[in-house]
Amino acid sequence: SQTIHQWPATLVQPVGSPLSLECTVEGTSNPNLYWYRQAAGRGLQLLFYSVGIGQISSEVPQNLSASRPQDRQFILSSKKLLLSDSGFYLCAWSRWGGSTDTQYFGPGTRLTVL
Amino acid sequence: AQKVTQAQTEISVVEKEDVTLDCVYETRDTTYYLFWYKQPPSGELVFLIRRNSFDEQNEISGRYSWNFQKSTSSFNFTITASQVVDSAVYFCALTITGNQFYFGTGTSLTVIP
């Protein structure tokens, strides 16, 4: 069966510091991968998605970036965090080629920027 | 443009009551997919159901049931005999391409023992 991991689970960072959140998927090959952000009390916002190694699509311009160095690894980064970057970050995967397939979510990372 | 509306922000029910969560969607595409996810306090989104636009059959899974009506662009979710463990935020979502999911703002359900 497939499993998706995210770490860290929680993170408190000062404004201006760098960020690196990691997501890995087990039990599948060539997954589509997604990063979402959920602000407190609000819905989900798609940040990035990837259909393959090195292929990143950005949905919302901001000071975040994403990378996919390996088939089942997806990284969300920032060089300098802003207060507005606080939120709950969720990684998700879906089957490659299943463009309308279900997205399955990881446990999330709760980021607080102070 | 695609849009999902969950007009109910918060709902409270007493345990064992039935509750319906509303979802209204907008799209001009004839092929689309609808989803419901549950987000318990732990935060992880749990997939509940996927329905394509060509399948209007209602579905029942235990205490959960879904009513898909294209005529009213609605995909409502009913929990029968609610339990405390049903307390969560529930999201309805729509996709055309699969990569872009359009989520509603969620309905927070509290089941009171």
Side-chain angles (χ1 to χ4, degrees):
Chain A
S1 63
Q2 298 82 18
T3 308
I4 180 168
H5 303 279
Q6 286 186 244
W7 64 89
T10 60
L11 191 60
V12 180
Q13 292 284 91
V15 170
S17 64
L19 173 74
S20 181
L21 303 181
E22 189 166 341
C23 170
T24 58
V25 181
E26 296 177 356
T28 187
S29 297
N30 302 319
N32 295 331
L33 297 172
Y34 310 85
W35 277 112
Y36 287 86
R37 177 169 60 199
Q38 184 179 27
R42 302 186 67 178
L44 284 80
Q45 178 186 40
L46 178 64
L47 301 175
F48 302 94
Y49 70 89
S50 172
V51 298
I53 296 175
Q55 301 178 61
I56 309 294
S57 296
S58 174
E59 292 296 315
V60 182
Q62 53 204 312
N63 70 321
L64 298 172
S65 62
S67 62
R68 185 168 177 175
Q70 300 181 38
D71 180 45
R72 289 169 287 181
Q73 183 184 31
F74 205 22
I75 297 173
L76 183 68
S77 304
S78 174
K79 293 182 178 179
K80 289 186 177 182
L81 283 169
L82 307 172
L83 286 174
S84 57
D85 291 324
S86 292
F88 190 53
Y89 289 81
L90 288 155
C91 181
W93 74 274
S94 65
R95 287 180 180 80
W96 179 84
S99 62
T100 51
D101 209 342
T102 302
Q103 291 189 10
Y104 298 94
F105 288 80
T109 295
R110 200 164 300 277
L111 172 66
T112 303
V113 182
L114 301 175
Chain B
Q2 282 62 238
K3 184 179 179 181
V4 174
T5 301
Q6 294 180 256
Q8 304 153 308
T9 304
E10 297 181 359
I11 300 177
S12 291
V13 299
V14 176
E15 198 171 24
K16 297 184 182 178
E17 287 184 345
D18 298 347
V19 58
T20 295
L21 309 182
D22 297 333
C23 173
V24 174
Y25 62 92
E26 296 175 29
T27 180
R28 292 184 179 179
D29 286 71
T30 57
T31 302
Y32 52 89
Y33 294 76
L34 295 164
F35 300 79
W36 275 97
Y37 287 86
K38 174 183 180 180
Q39 186 177 39
S42 61
E44 179 177 354
L45 263 73
V46 177
F47 164 71
L48 296 178
I49 190 171
R50 169 179 180 254
R51 174 68 79 230
N52 73 59
S53 54
F54 299 108
D55 183 3
E56 283 194 77
Q57 269 194 319
N58 292 330
E59 182 158 338
I60 298 175
S61 177
R63 296 184 296 107
Y64 294 172
S65 62
W66 291 270
N67 183 357
F68 177 27
Q69 291 196 345
K70 290 176 73 171
S71 60
T72 56
S73 296
S74 64
F75 186 41
N76 296 338
F77 173 30
T78 297
I79 302 174
T80 303
S82 60
Q83 300 176 2
V84 173
V85 293
D86 296 326
S87 296
V89 180
Y90 291 86
F91 289 94
C92 181
L94 163 75
T95 188
I96 307 299
T97 65
N99 288 324
Q100 176 64 284
F101 269 49
Y102 298 87
F103 282 87
T105 51
T107 297
S108 178
L109 173 65
T110 301
V111 180
I112 304 166

